[in-house]
C-alpha cells in the first residue's frame, strides 16, 4: 500500500483551479460574510457545560482566514450581536479606513447591520483579527481569529499549524464567562486574567505528530492580559518570524519564549522527542511548567533530521528607518496600582473612570499624541513608570526596537515594556491615516492607555 500525501501547495493549486472554473461561469459572486454572533463552545473539560461565547461565524476562535500575499481580502462583516462591533486586522499594514477602530477609523457597526471590509494584504505572515469596539469585553467573549497570509513560496514543512493561545475567566460551576468586564481590580492591576488557559478554543489541545516531522507553528497570543512564557519539550528548531514579519535569518528558539498579548511568533520545529509525546509548555503562576499544547507522536516522517530551514522571503518595505533624521518622541506611561503617580492626580484620574495615562493623557482625546508627515522617520521612547508590564501596540505600521547598543531589532507591531524601564522604538511613518497606539492589555486600554498618532 502506498500513502499519498497531499502537500499544502498541491491542495492550494487545486483550489485555485476550481476557483477559476467557477469564475468562468460568470455569475456575480455573493460577498463572503464574517458574522459576529452568539455561539456555544466546549472550552472547559468534558463534563462541564458548553460556554456561551461571542464568535465569528459560530466558532471559537473565529474561522482561520488564509489568503495569498498581495491579494485583496474582502469580508462583509455582519453584526448579529445585540451590541455594536467592528473588526480590526491586527498587524496588517492596512488602508486606514479598513482598520476597524470604532471611534477613530469608522463608526461601530450597529446590531443587524453590516460593514464591507476590503483591503490588500501587503505582507506575508501570521496576523489576527479581533473586535475593536469595547475590546476588553468583546475579545474576552471570544471575538478573535487567525489571519494567515501565505508566502508565494511556502517554506518546506510537513504541516502548518496555527495555535491561538487564550485564557477565559469562567465560573467554575457553570463554565460561563464571568460577566463583570470592568472590575476596578482588573483595570488598575495587570488586567483581566482567565482561570482556564487553552489553545484554539479548548482548555487542552493535543495534536498528533510523527517523529522527525517538520512543523511550522504559528503562535498567537489572543489573551486579554496574560503574558505567555513558553518552552518546548521534544521539539527543537528555529524562530523565523515575529509579529508576522520574517526575521533576517532563522534564529535559535530562546529557552523561554515570551509572548505578550497580541504578539505572534512563527516557529519551524522538528519533532525530536524519543518518547511518545512532545509539548509546548507554559510557565504557570506557581512557577511550574504546565502543558499548553501536547503532541502525541506516532510513526516516523523520516529517518533523519533535516537541514535548517531556509530564510523566509522578506516582505516589501522592510527598510530600517533613517535614524539620523528621526524625530524623537517620548511617551511616559503612568498610573495604575502601586505606581508612583501622586495621590491627587490618581484621584482625579479615577474620577474620569481611568487608571492610566499615556503622555499625561487618559484615553484617545481629540488631538493626536503626534502629527507626523508621511515618510518621516520617528523614534519613540516609552517610559514605563508603572508597576506593571505593558504591551504597546501601534496600528498600521511595524517598528523596530532600538536596542541599548544602538542596533535595530526585528520588525514588530507590539513591544512588551517592563516596569521601571524605557524602550525606544523607531519607524518610518509611511502609512497615512489615524493610527491607534495603545496597550494590548485590554483592560489598560479601556482605562486610559489608548492614544493615537496622525500621519499625513
Ligand atoms: Cu490588536 Cu488596537 O489592536
Ligand atoms: Cu498596559
Amino acid at each position: 500500500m502506498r500513502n499519498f500525501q497531499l502537500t499544502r501547495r498541491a491542495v492550494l493549486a487545486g483550489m485555485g483551479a476550481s476557483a477559476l472554473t467557477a469564475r468562468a461561469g460568470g455569475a456575480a459572486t455573493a460577498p463572503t460574510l464574517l458574522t459576529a454572533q452568539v455561539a456555544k463552545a466546549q472550552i472547559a473539560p468534558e463534563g462541564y457545560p458548553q460556554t456561551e461565547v461571542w464568535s465569528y461565524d459560530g466558532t471559537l476562535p473565529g474561522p482561520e482566514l488564509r489568503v495569498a500575499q498581495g491579494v485583496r481580502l474582502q469580508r462583509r462583516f455582519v453584526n448579529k450581536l445585540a451590541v455594536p462591533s467592528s473588526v480590526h486586522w491586527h498587524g496588517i499594514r492596512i488602508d486606514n479606513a479598513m482598520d476597524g477602530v470604532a471611534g477613530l477609523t469608522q463608526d461601530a457597526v450597529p446590531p443587524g447591520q453590516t460593514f464591507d471590509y476590503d483591503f490588500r494584504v501587503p505582507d506575508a505572515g501570521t496576523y489576527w483579527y479581533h473586535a475593536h469596539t469595547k475590546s476588553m469585553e468583546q475579545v474576552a467573549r471570544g471575538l478573535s481569529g487567525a489571519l494567515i497570509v501565505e508566502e508565494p513560496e511556502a517554506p518546506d514543512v510537513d504541516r502548518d499549524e496555527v495555535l491561538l493561545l487564550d485564557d477565559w475567566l469562567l465560573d467554575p460551576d457553570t463554565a460561563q464567562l464571568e460577566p463583570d468586564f470592568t472590575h476596578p481590580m482588573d483595570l488598575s492591576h495587570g488586567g483581566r486574567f482567565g482561570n482556564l488557559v487553552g489553545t484554539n478554543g479548548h482548555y487542552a489541545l493535543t495534536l498528533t505528530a510523527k517523529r522527525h516531522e517538520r512543523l511550522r507553528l504559528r503562535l498567537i497570543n489572543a489573551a486579554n492580559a496574560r503574558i505567555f512564557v513558553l518552552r518546548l519539550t521534544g521539539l527543537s528548531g528555529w524562530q523565523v518570524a515575529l509579529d508576522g514579519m520574517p526575521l533576517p535569518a532563522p534564529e535559535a528558539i530562546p529557552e523561554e519564549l515570551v509572548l505578550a498579548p497580541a504578539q505572534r511568533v512563527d516557529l519551524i520545529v522538528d519533532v525530536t522527542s524519543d518518547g511518545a509525546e512532545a509539548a509546548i509548555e507554559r510557565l504557570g503562576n506557581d512557577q511550574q511548567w504546565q502543558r499548553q499544547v501536547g503532541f502525541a507522536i506516532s510513526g516516523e516522517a523520516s529517518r533523519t533530521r533535516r537541514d535548517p530551514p531556509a530564510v523566509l522571503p522578506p516582505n516589501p518595505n522592510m527598510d530600517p528607518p533613517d535614524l539620523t533624521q528621526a524625530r524623537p518622541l517620548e511617551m511616559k506611561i503612568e498610573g495604575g496600582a502601586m505606581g508612583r503617580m501622586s495621590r491627587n492626580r490618581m484621584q482625579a484620574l479615577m474620577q474620569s473612570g481611568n487608571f492610566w495615562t499615556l503622555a499625561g493623557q487618559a484615553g484617545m482625546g481629540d488631538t493626536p499624541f503626534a502629527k507626523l508627515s508621511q515618510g518621516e522617520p520617528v523614534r519613540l521612547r516609552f517610559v514605563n513608570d508603572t508597576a506593571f508590564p505593558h504591551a504597546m501596540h501601534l496600528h498600521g505600521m511595524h517598528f523596530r526596537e532600538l536596542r541599548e547598543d544602538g542596533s535595530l531589532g526585528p520588525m514588530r507591531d507590539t513591544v512588551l515594556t517592563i516596569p521601571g524601564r524605557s524602550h525606544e522604538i523607531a519607524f518610518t511613518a509611511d502609512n497615512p491615516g489615524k493610527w491607534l497606539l495603545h496597550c494590548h492589555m485590554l483592560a489598560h486600554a479601556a482605562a486610559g492607555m489608548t492614544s493615537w498618532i496622525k500621519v499625513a
Side-chain angles (χ1 to χ4, degrees):
M1 277 269 290
R2 282 186 61 194
N3 271 329
F4 285 92
Q5 256 192 344
L6 280 176
T7 66
R8 172 172 298 284
R9 208 171 303 161
V11 172
L12 286 175
M15 279 167 49
S18 60
L20 277 177
T21 337
R23 208 171 302 136
T29 45
T32 310
L33 308 181
L34 184 68
T35 305
Q37 62 195 74
V38 173
K40 297 225 173 221
Q42 188 69 46
I43 302 174
E46 290 312 320
Y48 282 90
Q50 291 195 315
T51 305
E52 184 173 291
V53 297
W54 294 359
S55 80
Y56 293 113
D57 291 357
T59 68
L60 187 79
E64 179 182 312
L65 305 182
R66 232 177 224 276
V67 294
Q69 182 174 14
V71 304
R72 266 168 76 189
L73 177 59
Q74 294 167 295
R75 283 294 180 281
R76 173 163 295 172
F77 172 62
V78 183
N79 186 5
K80 289 196 181 158
L81 298 170
V83 295
S85 192
S86 62
V87 187
H88 170 58
W89 313 90
H90 184 118
I92 302 292
R93 295 192 281 180
I94 202 168
D95 173 3
N96 190 242
M98 295 291 129
D99 201 38
V101 180
L104 188 69
T105 66
Q106 70 169 95
D107 293 330
V109 183
Q113 299 203 12
T114 67
F115 186 92
D116 287 340
Y117 289 99
D118 181 351
F119 54 90
R120 223 176 65 80
V121 286
D123 301 313
T126 301
Y127 303 93
W128 63 302
Y129 61 99
H130 61 79
H132 220 304
T133 303
K134 294 212 186 314
S135 324
M136 172 173 56
E137 173 175 0
Q138 296 196 3
V139 175
R141 285 192 184 273
L143 289 172
S144 66
L147 168 53
I148 306 302
V149 183
E150 298 198 313
E151 297 87 11
E153 278 290 322
D156 182 22
V157 295
D158 299 318
R159 258 163 55 203
D160 182 325
E161 296 281 355
V162 175
L163 302 171
L164 190 127
L165 315 183
D166 206 348
D167 62 1
W168 304 276
L169 187 56
L170 302 183
D171 179 318
D173 295 321
T174 63
Q176 299 312 299
L177 283 161
E178 182 55 59
D180 182 0
F181 291 92
T182 53
H183 200 288
M185 180 77 176
D186 293 343
L187 297 174
S188 61
H189 289 69
R192 180 184 167 107
F193 290 94
N195 51 7
L196 192 67
V197 183
T199 309
N200 295 350
H202 301 283
Y203 85 101
L205 180 71
T206 302
L207 304 172
T208 55
K210 299 193 175 89
R211 186 156 295 108
H212 297 309
E213 194 172 22
R214 178 161 282 184
L215 313 173
R216 178 177 190 167
L217 304 176
R218 302 172 181 264
L219 275 56
I220 303 171
N221 183 351
N224 272 41
R226 181 177 301 274
I227 300 167
F228 283 88
V229 178
L230 305 165
R231 73 172 187 193
L232 306 179
T233 61
L235 303 168
S236 56
W238 302 263
Q239 53 181 7
V240 293
L242 291 171
D243 294 352
M245 293 294 172
L247 295 171
E251 290 174 5
I253 298 171
E255 229 20 55
E256 295 188 358
L257 192 63
V258 177
L259 207 60
Q263 289 185 327
R264 288 90 64 211
V265 62
D266 283 41
L267 307 176
I268 292 183
V269 298
D270 294 329
V271 180
T272 51
S273 170
D274 290 326
E277 47 191 38
I280 301 175
E281 294 180 324
R282 162 180 62 86
L283 193 60
N285 296 341
D286 54 359
Q287 300 303 303
Q288 301 294 311
W289 290 96
Q290 299 169 358
R291 171 160 302 187
Q292 177 73 28
V293 180
F295 296 85
I297 301 170
S298 71
E300 287 214 337
S302 73
R303 300 232 149 249
T304 52
R305 294 195 56 178
R306 284 180 261 185
D307 292 336
V311 47
L312 290 179
N315 281 324
N317 190 14
M318 291 185 71
D319 294 341
D322 179 1
L323 290 177
T324 62
Q325 304 294 318
R327 170 151 145 212
L329 297 168
E330 184 173 295
M331 177 174 268
K332 202 169 188 189
I333 305 171
E334 295 173 284
M338 301 170 284
R340 303 197 311 166
M341 193 179 269
S342 74
R343 193 170 253 281
N344 284 349
R345 268 185 75 203
M346 199 68 206
Q347 244 146 29
L349 192 56
M350 283 161 65
Q351 222 103 98
S352 71
N354 290 297
F355 285 99
W356 311 87
T357 58
L358 294 177
Q361 179 170 315
M364 227 164 29
D366 296 330
T367 49
F369 161 69
K371 284 187 184 154
L372 307 171
S373 23
Q374 193 174 343
E376 186 176 10
V378 185
R379 36 200 297 182
L380 166 56
R381 180 183 293 278
F382 296 113
V383 180
N384 184 343
D385 196 14
T386 77
F388 293 88
H390 300 287
M392 296 303 296
H393 168 49
L394 174 64
H395 285 217
M397 286 160 285
H398 276 60
F399 51 75
R400 293 170 189 273
E401 192 167 351
L402 193 51
R403 299 175 172 135
E404 243 138 59
D405 65 1
S407 67
L408 285 166
M411 283 181 94
R412 302 210 72 144
D413 61 37
T414 304
V415 61
L416 182 60
T417 73
I418 306 299
R421 293 251 303 264
S422 73
H423 302 255
E424 193 167 14
I425 63 167
F427 62 99
T428 308
D430 52 10
N431 200 356
K434 298 172 170 181
W435 301 110
L436 217 57
L437 173 59
H438 66 96
C439 180
H440 224 287
M441 276 80 171
L442 297 176
H444 295 171
M449 290 191 69
T450 300
S451 180
W452 62 289
I453 61 171
K454 185 170 179 175
V455 180

